[in-house]
Amino acid sequence: MEKNISEMISDLKTYLEYLKGLGIVSLSSSEIEHDPPRPSRILTLAEVRKELGDCKRCKLHRTRRTIVFGEGNGKAALIFIGEGPGYDEDVQGRPFVGKAGQLLTKIIQSINLSREEVYIANIIKCRPPQNRNPEPDEIQSCHPFLMKQISVIRPKIICALGTFSAQTLLKTDTKITALRGKVYDLDGIKVIPTYHPAFLLRNPERKREVWEDMKKIAELIGSP
Ligand code: SF4
């Protein structure tokens, strides 16, 4: 009997860790008394957006113009995740619409897909002042919503664009140069890190490596 109880506690701990990873950090008493909530209770991206609301969970809300939630196919097999919105994204409320965004569009097209067929988002949804790097408390506040978007879309592959995206998703501080070129697992979803398009604009000689990563993605999702 004692063994059964310890097993049950262990299962419960594992389940709570799973929910935490999806950004669910509290349960109502009715959810505890009856059936445990299923992670899929958030069924649509619209529901995630509604829950985010006019978010003021971190200090970036003070300087942003718009929340850049993410856009694209809600059933995409492939999600691209960047770092955070820049000036153009903040103005337009859409991810990857500046020069780096135009390059990302070309990268997507290079594997015979369009922006509408994939989903595009960022680790944080509000532009940091002067495009500075996101700070740990900002990532911590925003990350649960990205995880909910991922759990709704359930893609086959996440392409992590740049250091912050790759390090946050893979929970590591390894540099992108060491991370790229390999395939990682995030709860059954393959994660492929590659260079951020903004980095490619400054270092065009690295495009060949991104092309190699795109070929790997195309192979995994069966795109010609
Ligand atoms: S960055 Fe994310 S957590 Fe911070 S205010 Fe914007 S939406 Fe909210």
Side-chain angles (χ1 to χ4, degrees):
M1 184 67 182
E2 268 180 24
K3 187 168 177 244
N4 285 342
I5 289 172
S6 72
E7 277 174 358
M8 283 166 65
I9 290 170
S10 169
D11 287 350
L12 184 59
K13 271 186 184 167
T14 305
Y15 183 62
L16 290 173
E17 280 300 316
Y18 177 58
L19 291 177
K20 197 173 157 195
L22 293 173
I24 298 168
V25 292
S26 65
L27 306 175
S28 70
S29 57
S30 62
E31 285 170 333
I32 292 167
E33 282 165 16
H34 303 294
D35 291 338
R38 301 200 66 74
S40 60
R41 70 194 169 92
I42 291 178
L43 298 174
T44 67
L45 291 171
E47 285 173 339
V48 182
R49 181 65 189 87
K50 194 174 166 196
E51 189 186 336
L52 183 68
D54 182 28
C55 184
K56 294 178 179 165
R57 291 172 179 83
C58 83
K59 57 188 177 298
L60 292 179
H61 81 272
R62 294 190 207 117
T63 46
R64 72 165 183 238
R65 288 189 211 195
T66 53
I67 294 176
V68 182
F69 181 69
E71 66 177 26
N73 180 357
K75 294 182 177 167
L78 173 60
I79 301 185
F80 288 88
I81 298 177
E83 179 181 316
Y87 175 82
D88 293 302
E89 290 76 18
D90 184 43
V91 170
Q92 296 187 40
R94 298 178 55 212
F96 283 94
V97 288
K99 280 188 181 160
Q102 288 162 17
L103 180 53
L104 177 63
T105 303
K106 285 184 187 164
I107 290 170
I108 294 167
Q109 289 168 345
S110 76
I111 51 170
N112 293 317
L113 292 172
S114 65
R115 278 180 73 111
E116 293 72 30
E117 288 173 286
V118 303
Y119 195 83
I120 305 173
N122 286 301
I123 295 289
I124 54 165
K125 302 186 188 308
C126 299
R127 182 193 180 205
Q130 284 83 48
N131 291 349
R132 64 155 169 76
N133 289 334
E135 292 174 355
D137 60 311
E138 296 158 359
I139 294 173
Q140 197 181 351
S141 300
C142 214
H143 192 56
F145 289 93
L146 176 64
M147 293 309 290
K148 286 181 189 185
Q149 286 167 282
I150 292 170
S151 74
V152 168
I153 299 170
R154 238 12 239 179
K156 278 188 187 169
I157 297 168
I158 293 172
C159 180
L161 298 167
T163 300
F164 269 91
S165 175
Q167 290 183 341
T168 305
L169 289 166
L170 299 174
K171 295 185 173 66
T172 176
D173 53 9
T174 306
K175 288 185 178 166
I176 186 71
T177 41
L179 288 172
R180 70 148 297 280
K182 302 183 193 91
V183 181
Y184 302 83
D185 179 83
L186 181 71
D187 293 334
I189 301 169
K190 290 184 169 61
V191 178
I192 300 190
T194 195
Y195 297 127
H196 194 285
F199 173 81
L200 288 184
L201 289 173
R202 298 189 302 271
N203 302 275
E205 72 280 4
R206 310 307 284 265
K207 283 184 182 172
R208 176 172 288 279
E209 290 156 87
V210 174
W211 171 234
E212 291 303 322
D213 298 331
M214 289 306 120
K215 278 201 294 188
K216 170 59 78 182
I217 289 173
E219 192 184 304
L220 289 169
I221 60 172
S223 179

